Amino acid sequence: MADESHHHDPTFYRSPRDAAAGPPERLAYVATFSKPADQPDAIAVVDTDPASASYASVVGFTELPHVGDELHHFGWNACSSALCPTGSHTHGSRRYLVVPGIRSSRISILDTQPDPAAPHVVKVLGPEELAKRASYSRPHTVHCGPGYLYVSCLGGGNGNDGPGGVALLDHSSFEVIGPFEADRGDQYLAYDVWWHINHNVLVTSEWGTPSMIEDGIVPELLLGREYGHRLHFWDMQARRHVQTVDLGDQHQMALELRPAHDPAKKYGFVGVVISVEDLSASIWLWHERDGAWAADKVISIPAEPAPAEQLPPLLQGFAAVPPLVTDIGLSVDDRFLYVSCWGTGEMKQYDVTDPFHPRETGSVRIGGIVGRTPHPARPGQPLAGGPQMVEVSRDGKRVYFTNSLYGVLDEQFYPDGVGAWMTKLDVADGGGIGFDQRFFLEGDAFRGRRTHQVRLEGGDASSDSYCYS
């Protein structure tokens, strides 16, 4: 007789292969935000079922109770990590969206049941909760772990300075438990958090404190090489800092972490926004070498020459467009890495079967600081913004992305307006990407808000971690 106590959400998968074999997503949840903060931010729900009459349209729109949140990254309350041997197995189902405001330090909890297309707010944690219980502010990235919710935070309790770090939240009550770090070593700046669960390793990356990013990129800080450029490795169970790996201070803003999904592998990729030496962007591979952690640059993407008069003031003295790699996505089978070049308006696909030697296999252009490349569905309409937050379906056949980075940065690099849009690529079996000409949402679809992170119904390539190969 089956033991009902071991029943679990069918969207929890024991291995990456199981996840890739699951049913395709029918909905996407999109964080949208009001830059003037004159109306509440919202989660838009987009129909992703090609057979649906409402395909590629917004079918749900949930406004949050306050203004001024600036929704950025968000995540699920529970995911496949619940099936790990270290999991508590009491996480319930993949039901709630945990949605931080990067400016307000509020965290909103949205219930996607009973109607997944109409999530509703059931709880809001005020900024005082993070400050009082974890001494953090400016929550950024949410990951569902085997024991807690891990929420990376850019600021300390006062909201302006550091150290930033990771707050732990209870899976069920969503109460703030406290800081992850029992011993933070030399870590001060924060950005992303991920892990190799089977190996008891947690990894964090660096951007800057709130005061360093509040008004956008500060040229003096950038040229002074003061933004983040290091990776930190931690003992996940002891919550103790183990090692720092410095990529070199010319490599400014080491942001998104994408570890291999196969839990037997101990490597991952991190994207660097810009080199102050030549404006290039880069992708680095972290891995073990001689019993310690190391990082190697495995992809370099050069800046593209451009007339100064076509550039925003921040770039005119350089006469070039930096790629500005602001997000990366790794397919669940660990085969393809997607790289968003928000400055040049390019989405690149690399075959990373050999992670030390990536091979470019696809590229599309849309938007861009100078190019303003239209979407094929609107060939006469120049677009601002560029490929930014990227999300890959579990089966690796679809890639979704949006165009806004962060409100004040949008203004710095696209001073004439960044707009709002979302699109989707189809992935060829052997590599290669192309636009789905039916899937392009823009402007009024998002009711005056800008678009940022995408989460897919049932999980996606950056939401879940697995404990079985």
Side-chain angles (χ1 to χ4, degrees):
M1 181 179 294
D3 183 351
E4 288 300 318
S5 67
H6 284 80
H7 171 78
H8 63 261
D9 187 312
T11 72
F12 295 173
Y13 300 98
R14 295 197 180 279
S15 71
R17 181 177 296 176
D18 292 342
E25 69 284 350
R26 295 168 299 173
L27 297 172
Y29 298 94
V30 184
T32 72
F33 69 96
S34 169
K35 176 58 179 78
D38 57 352
Q39 56 185 341
D41 297 348
I43 294 293
V45 186
V46 175
D47 188 333
T48 60
D49 179 0
S52 168
S54 54
Y55 178 60
S57 68
V58 174
V59 293
F61 199 81
T62 303
E63 292 188 346
L64 300 192
H66 303 90
V67 296
D69 287 318
E70 185 147 349
L71 300 190
H72 200 62
H73 293 199
F74 65 108
W76 290 104
N77 66 302
C79 57
S80 300
S81 63
L83 302 182
C84 292
T86 53
S88 69
H89 303 278
T90 60
H91 300 173
S93 59
R94 189 193 306 267
R95 173 172 178 172
Y96 298 96
L97 294 171
V98 182
V99 185
I102 194 172
R103 282 192 171 263
S104 69
S105 296
R106 283 187 288 263
I107 300 177
S108 300
I109 311 299
L110 279 67
D111 191 349
T112 64
Q113 292 184 13
D115 181 0
H120 55 284
V121 178
V122 294
K123 184 170 186 173
V124 178
L125 296 174
E128 69 281 355
E129 293 296 313
L130 269 179
K132 178 177 66 177
R133 298 181 181 273
S135 296
Y136 288 135
S137 63
R138 308 303 183 94
H140 186 271
T141 295
V142 177
H143 284 310
C144 35
Y148 312 93
L149 282 166
Y150 290 70
V151 182
S152 69
C153 301
L154 301 180
N158 67 5
N160 290 315
D161 302 314
V166 179
L168 300 177
L169 273 62
D170 184 272
H171 271 288
S172 302
S173 68
F174 303 107
E175 292 178 351
V176 180
I177 296 170
F180 162 77
E181 299 84 1
D183 174 3
R184 72 171 65 251
D186 66 351
Q187 179 268 327
Y188 187 81
L189 300 180
Y191 182 76
D192 201 1
V193 56
W194 253 122
W195 45 65
H196 299 291
I197 293 180
N198 285 8
H199 305 284
N200 189 37
V201 174
L202 183 137
V203 191
T204 60
S205 60
E206 299 185 338
W207 183 13
T209 63
S211 62
M212 296 170 70
I213 67 168
E214 188 78 3
D215 299 315
I217 290 178
V218 181
E220 293 78 12
L221 294 179
L222 182 68
L223 296 176
R225 307 183 178 203
E226 294 185 37
Y227 288 101
H229 46 86
R230 304 189 301 171
L231 300 180
H232 300 276
F233 295 86
W234 308 74
D235 181 312
M236 193 170 178
Q237 293 181 2
R239 298 158 45 213
R240 179 177 57 85
H241 188 276
V242 173
Q243 187 185 344
T244 299
V245 174
D246 196 329
L247 307 183
D249 64 9
Q250 72 271 37
H251 299 294
Q252 290 283 282
M253 293 174 276
L255 299 186
E256 309 296 339
L257 301 170
R258 297 292 178 251
H261 294 90
D262 182 343
K265 299 174 180 175
K266 295 173 72 174
Y267 68 80
F269 299 94
V270 59
V272 170
V273 176
I274 193 167
S275 164
V276 295
E277 292 184 339
D278 59 9
L279 300 187
S280 66
S282 53
I283 306 296
W284 294 66
L285 178 77
W286 79 76
H287 59 97
E288 281 191 311
R289 179 188 295 146
D290 299 329
W293 293 102
D296 295 331
K297 186 196 293 188
V298 292
I299 296 171
S300 184
I301 304 172
E304 298 179 358
E309 63 270 16
Q310 295 183 26
L311 296 169
L314 188 66
L315 297 175
Q316 285 176 355
F318 299 101
V321 180
L324 300 176
V325 165
T326 51
D327 195 21
I328 58 177
L330 180 63
S331 62
V332 171
D333 62 2
D334 295 330
R335 181 176 179 188
F336 291 115
L337 184 73
Y338 295 89
V339 178
S340 296
C341 301
W342 188 68
T344 51
E346 185 178 17
M347 176 66 78
K348 288 178 172 286
Q349 179 198 55
Y350 293 88
D351 186 324
V352 290
T353 305
D354 177 355
F356 287 91
H357 301 95
R359 180 173 57 89
E360 186 170 344
T361 48
S363 168
V364 297
R365 295 260 180 172
I366 183 170
I369 291 171
V370 171
R372 305 296 170 112
T373 307
H375 190 278
R378 310 275 196 282
Q381 177 183 326
L383 288 177
Q388 214 287 291
M389 292 309 298
V390 54
E391 199 47 77
V392 186
S393 64
R394 294 184 310 280
D395 60 10
K397 296 180 179 179
R398 295 165 300 285
V399 178
Y400 302 86
F401 61 92
T402 56
N403 78 312
S404 168
L405 174 56
Y406 176 54
V408 290
L409 294 178
D410 292 345
E411 260 83 73
Q412 281 189 299
F413 290 98
Y414 294 90
D416 56 335
V418 76
W421 48 264
M422 175 186 182
T423 190
K424 173 195 156 212
L425 305 176
D426 293 320
V427 180
D429 289 343
I433 46 178
F435 286 105
D436 175 352
Q437 297 207 24
R438 296 176 60 201
F439 200 105
F440 180 62
L441 296 84
E442 61 174 333
D444 292 344
F446 300 107
R447 306 186 192 182
R449 279 84 164 178
R450 300 183 194 178
T451 57
H452 198 61
Q453 189 172 35
V454 179
R455 284 283 177 223
L456 302 182
E457 176 196 36
D460 45 59
S462 68
S463 65
D464 286 45
S465 44
Y466 311 93
C467 284
Y468 302 91
S469 292

